[in-house]
């Protein structure tokens, strides 16, 4: 069987004679035929630039139909798509450039100077631009070329994308996802979520992460569905669109924000079939409030960059809050202690998984890959879970030191290193505290040298050059010392207890 994911997607989305595609604001539609044609022209441009299968194409650009075409062009030609969060600063970009060694970088026109400098420093041969209107050098060049309509033949283990996911050491690791990983997950989700002809998806997620790029786009494309393609999340806009939609996917913050909109009710959701939540824990109070307001029980699922989706609540069975449901078809899951030994049913341990969705390893980091896999091939997720007698999974915490804020991951170590480098700082500890909008908000505890004259604001300002804004602490507390246990390890749980309610009254 042809393993190229594009072959699978195109085989589904070009067979629908209605051909709806991406619907943009102002009633403009980019049909699936347009997406196919645009991706084929970009494929021709890749050829002119002498890119070869396996080359990395690094993209830091705003959400647009052209960005989707670029992704599809990479799939059809065997290039490896490397998307980056648009919030990353130049300082953060430098690492991704040197680590992934792209042959082509595509960025927003406003960022061209910044990016060109970083690209030149590591010898990237081509930098092109792409903007939200579809202008920029990438599309200007591509549209003047003849489409290159063939789809390269690939093995299922050939890479389709590298998605960076931060490590506990503070350095991001590139998770290598193959065409086989992506196809198997897309097909499983399309099946278990019961996509039907005529489904219409609201797409308000960014397309540089698993959730928006793979879960939402792939399932809708497999279904040849109309995609209401929003540049970003906007609760008012979504409430306006809900009567025309049947499926929506979002992080929990989407749902808490929708609940704040007085026009969200049963009637606007009358055609909706499915609301899916994931990327961070969905609170029971959100689940309950959403059901009361709309009559819909949000379907929560769980996944991660390295494995796409892993578990899901059932579409037709009991959809419960505070559980992420059952392993997807084809995914084996076990709960284990720190040595990889299975714990008893109902006991808490780390979730370990195996299946066609599990990634190929970390890019150019065999040691890190080895450290995350058991000898029998199970991948250690780092999430603390328990499984009930029926096999339902409950995520109860994280063995990894990770904060999830509004669905974006923040690794405390990375922020701590930046704070510790500031003049006048002795050391710091970064934790996540409950936040009514983002789920968790980033908070820093900082120990200063005696004579240091540093304010909370000056720390935040100083971090702006080195960290994306969503990683910058929303609150800084100055302390005389950090609490440590007898092994010298900082007791973050004690810090968290000190200010658990800090965001409950002040949303910032
Ligand atoms: C924005 N800000 C955030 C933030 N998003 N701060 C903390 N956490 C976040 N997630 C800050 C900005 O830096 C800015 O700060 C201010 O909030 C306003 O910025 P904005 O761009 O206007 O924010 P907004 O549009 O409201 O974005 C919030 C959001 C967005 C929740 C809609 O973050 C979002 O779309 N999140 C989805 C993330 C996602 O797709 N995750 C999936 C990962 S895949 P300042 O200081 O400049 O004012 C994965 C696997 C899986 O995890 O299972 O799915
Ligand atoms: P990422 O590395 O960005 O893909 O983030 C993956 C992590 O998000 C997982 O390892 C979990 O910790 C978390 N996550 C994803 N979905 C859920 C969920 N439904 N409930 C709780 N945590 C989740």
């Amino acid at each position: 069987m042809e393993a190229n994911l594009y072959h699978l997607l195109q085989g589904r989305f070009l067979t629908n004679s209605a051909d709806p595609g991406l619907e943009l604001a102002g009633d403009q539609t980019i049909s699936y035929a347009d997406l196919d044609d645009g991706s084929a022209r970009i494929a021709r441009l890749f050829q002119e630039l002498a890119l070869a299968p396996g080359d990395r194409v690094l993209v830091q650009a705003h959400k647009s139909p052209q960005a989707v075409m670029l992704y599809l062009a990479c799939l059809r030609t065997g290039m490896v798509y490397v998307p980056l969060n648009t919030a990353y600063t130049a300082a953060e970009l430098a690492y991704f450039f040197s680590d992934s060694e792209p042959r082509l970088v595509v960025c927003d026109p406003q960022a061209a100077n910044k990016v060109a400098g970083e690209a030149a420093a590591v010898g990237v041969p081509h930098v092109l631009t792409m903007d939200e209107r579809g202008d920029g050098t990438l599309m200007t060049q591509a549209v003047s070329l003849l489409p290159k309509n063939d789809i390269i033949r690939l093995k299922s283990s050939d890479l389709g994308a590298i998605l960076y996911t931060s490590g506990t050491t503070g350095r991001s690791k590139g998770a290598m996802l193959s065409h086989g990983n992506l196809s198997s997950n897309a097909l499983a989700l399309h099946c278990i979520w019961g996509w039907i002809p005529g489904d219409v998806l609201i797409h308000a997620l960014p397309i540089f992460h698993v959730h928006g790029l793979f879960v939402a786009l792939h399932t809708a494309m497999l279904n040849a569905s109309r995609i209401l393609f929003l540049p970003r999340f906007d609760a008012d806009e979504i409430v306006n669109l809900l009567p025309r939609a049947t499926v929506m996917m979002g992080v929990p913050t989407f749902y808490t924000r929708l609940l704040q909109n007085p026009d969200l009710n049963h009637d606007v959701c009358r055609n909706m079939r499915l609301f899916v939540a994931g990327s961070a824990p969905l609170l029971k109070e959100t689940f309950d409030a959403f059901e009361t307001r709309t009559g819909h029980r949000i379907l929560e699922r769980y996944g991660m960059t390295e494995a796409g989706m892993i578990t899901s609540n059932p579409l037709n069975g009991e959809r419960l809050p505070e559980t992420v449901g059952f392993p997807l078809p084809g995914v084996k899951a076990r709960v284990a202690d720190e040595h990889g030994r299975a714990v008893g049913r109902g006991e808490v341990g780390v979730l370990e998984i195996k299946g066609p969705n599990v990634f190929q390893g970390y890019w150019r980091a065999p040691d890190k890959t080895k450290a995350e896999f058991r000898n029998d091939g199970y991948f250690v997720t780092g999430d603390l879970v328990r499984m009930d007698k029926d096999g339902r999974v409950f995520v109860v915490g994280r063995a990894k030191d990770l904060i999830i804020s509004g669905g974006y991951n923040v690794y405390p170590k990375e922020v701590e290193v930046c704070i510790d480098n500031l003049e006048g700082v002795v050391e710091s500890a970064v934790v996540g505290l409950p936040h009514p909008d983002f789920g968790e908000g980033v908070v820093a505890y900082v120990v200063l040298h005696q004579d240091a004259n540093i304010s909370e604001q000056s720390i935040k300002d100083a971090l702006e050059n080195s960290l994306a804004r969503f990683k910058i602490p929303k609150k800084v507390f100055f302390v005389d010392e950090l609490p440590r246990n007898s092994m010298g390890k900082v007791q973050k749980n004690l810090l968290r207890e000190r200010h658990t309610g800090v965001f409950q009254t002040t949303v910032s």
Side-chain angles (χ1 to χ4, degrees):
M1 203 183 100
E2 177 47 59
N4 190 316
L5 168 63
Y6 192 73
H7 187 80
L8 172 69
L9 296 175
Q10 189 203 48
R12 299 287 190 93
F13 65 57
L14 280 189
T15 52
N16 184 341
S17 54
D19 193 8
L22 308 182
E23 184 179 315
L24 315 176
D27 283 347
Q28 196 200 343
T29 297
I30 307 287
S31 70
Y32 281 115
D34 294 337
L35 286 177
D36 183 61
D37 181 71
S39 71
R41 288 173 198 271
I42 297 172
R44 180 71 67 192
L45 180 60
F46 288 169
Q47 187 184 38
E48 305 245 315
L49 298 175
L51 300 192
D55 281 348
R56 274 76 58 209
V57 174
L58 185 147
V59 182
Q60 191 196 30
H62 279 91
K63 186 175 174 183
S64 68
Q66 291 71 27
V68 177
M69 290 174 193
L70 177 58
Y71 167 57
L72 296 177
C74 288
L75 291 180
R76 72 188 298 160
T77 56
M79 305 301 156
V80 181
Y81 190 69
V82 187
L84 293 182
N85 193 321
T86 44
Y88 289 153
T89 61
E92 290 167 301
L93 288 188
Y95 167 75
F96 297 114
F97 281 36
S98 62
D99 191 63
S100 65
E101 291 192 300
R103 297 264 306 149
L104 167 65
V105 171
V106 180
C107 65
D108 292 322
Q110 312 84 280
N113 285 342
K114 166 186 92 176
V115 168
E118 298 297 333
V122 291
V124 178
H126 309 289
V127 177
L128 296 171
T129 61
M130 181 169 59
D131 75 7
E132 289 155 46
R133 294 183 310 277
D135 298 339
T137 51
L138 174 90
M139 290 319 287
T140 311
Q141 292 184 32
V143 292
S144 66
L145 301 173
L146 285 177
K148 187 173 179 322
N149 286 312
D150 53 319
I151 302 171
I152 190 173
R153 290 186 79 82
L154 295 174
K155 299 191 298 297
S156 69
S157 59
D158 285 327
L159 298 191
I162 295 177
L163 264 62
Y164 277 91
T165 169
S166 299
T168 37
T169 55
R171 270 287 182 222
S172 285
K173 299 173 288 188
M176 299 188 287
L177 295 155
S178 69
H179 282 250
N181 294 145
L182 301 176
S183 304
S184 65
N185 212 229
L187 287 167
L189 295 174
H190 183 261
C191 172
I192 63 165
W193 291 344
W195 284 79
I196 47 176
D199 265 338
V200 175
L201 174 76
I202 294 184
H203 192 301
L205 287 157
I207 53 168
F208 42 70
H209 279 313
V210 166
H211 199 161
L213 181 63
F214 300 148
V215 183
L217 279 185
H218 289 171
T219 48
M221 286 182 174
L222 280 179
N223 206 57
S225 270
R226 179 179 296 276
I227 301 175
L228 307 179
F229 197 68
L230 305 180
R232 62 189 63 81
F233 176 83
D234 177 331
D236 295 342
E237 179 92 46
I238 288 182
V239 171
N240 281 338
L241 291 173
L242 277 171
R244 295 183 45 223
T246 65
V247 181
M248 192 187 97
M249 299 182 195
V251 296
T253 301
F254 283 21
Y255 293 100
T256 50
R257 289 190 184 180
L258 281 172
L259 281 166
Q260 284 161 25
N261 188 305
D263 295 330
L264 179 78
N265 56 34
H266 278 64
D267 186 48
V268 292
C269 298
R270 60 188 174 273
N271 292 319
M272 283 299 291
R273 187 175 71 72
L274 182 61
F275 287 97
V276 179
S279 307
L282 179 75
L283 297 180
K284 181 177 180 324
E285 65 196 60
T286 311
F287 179 95
D288 290 341
F290 203 82
E291 184 173 17
T292 306
R293 282 280 288 284
T294 67
H296 283 271
R297 292 169 79 80
I298 300 170
L299 181 151
E300 187 173 6
R301 81 340 173 245
Y302 151 84
M304 63 192 302
T305 303
E306 288 90 336
M309 296 305 98
I310 299 166
T311 70
S312 171
N313 267 278
L315 180 72
N316 296 318
E318 236 187 333
R319 240 181 259 176
L320 300 174
E322 293 180 321
T323 157
V324 292
F326 302 95
L328 261 48
V331 177
K332 289 188 200 159
R334 70 185 179 202
V335 186
D337 65 14
E338 67 268 38
H339 306 294
R341 284 186 299 247
V343 301
R345 269 291 154 104
E347 282 179 41
V348 172
V350 174
L351 183 73
E352 301 189 353
I353 54 164
K354 198 174 186 178
N357 55 327
V358 177
F359 73 138
Q360 310 295 299
Y362 295 111
W363 172 251
R364 292 183 177 165
D367 292 347
K368 287 181 183 158
T369 303
K370 197 159 176 264
E372 311 272 341
F373 279 89
R374 299 290 179 201
N375 289 338
D376 59 0
Y378 273 77
F379 171 65
V380 183
T381 63
D383 287 309
L384 290 174
V385 306
R386 72 183 164 79
M387 214 185 251
D388 72 7
K389 60 177 179 10
D390 302 322
R392 241 191 215 94
V393 176
F394 295 73
V395 179
V396 299
R398 295 173 205 133
K400 50 196 175 190
D401 193 13
L402 163 70
I403 300 167
I404 305 185
S405 174
Y408 287 146
N409 288 3
V410 180
Y411 276 82
K413 185 75 186 167
E414 184 185 9
V415 184
E416 288 161 5
V417 167
C418 291
I419 297 177
D420 294 352
N421 282 339
L422 300 177
E423 207 170 310
V425 171
V426 178
E427 60 175 349
S428 64
V430 168
V431 300
L433 293 182
H435 192 288
D437 187 31
F438 294 124
E440 288 182 284
V442 179
V443 171
Y445 289 85
V446 179
V447 181
L448 296 179
H449 285 293
Q450 246 174 9
D451 53 348
N453 181 16
I454 301 179
S455 66
E456 172 169 7
Q457 194 55 45
S458 67
I459 291 199
K460 292 182 182 176
D461 293 345
L463 295 177
E464 257 176 39
N465 287 334
S466 38
L467 291 175
R469 293 186 71 88
F470 68 88
K471 299 179 191 170
I472 294 178
K474 299 207 182 290
K475 189 86 202 130
V476 178
F477 292 107
F478 293 104
V479 291
D480 293 336
E481 58 180 4
L482 297 176
R484 292 183 187 276
N485 65 15
S486 55
M487 309 286 286
K489 199 168 161 359
V490 177
Q491 294 171 297
K492 291 196 170 178
N493 53 332
L494 296 184
L495 290 173
R496 280 189 209 99
E497 282 164 17
R498 279 190 202 169
H499 296 103
T500 306
V502 68
F503 293 122
Q504 298 307 324
T505 45
T506 46
V507 181
S508 57

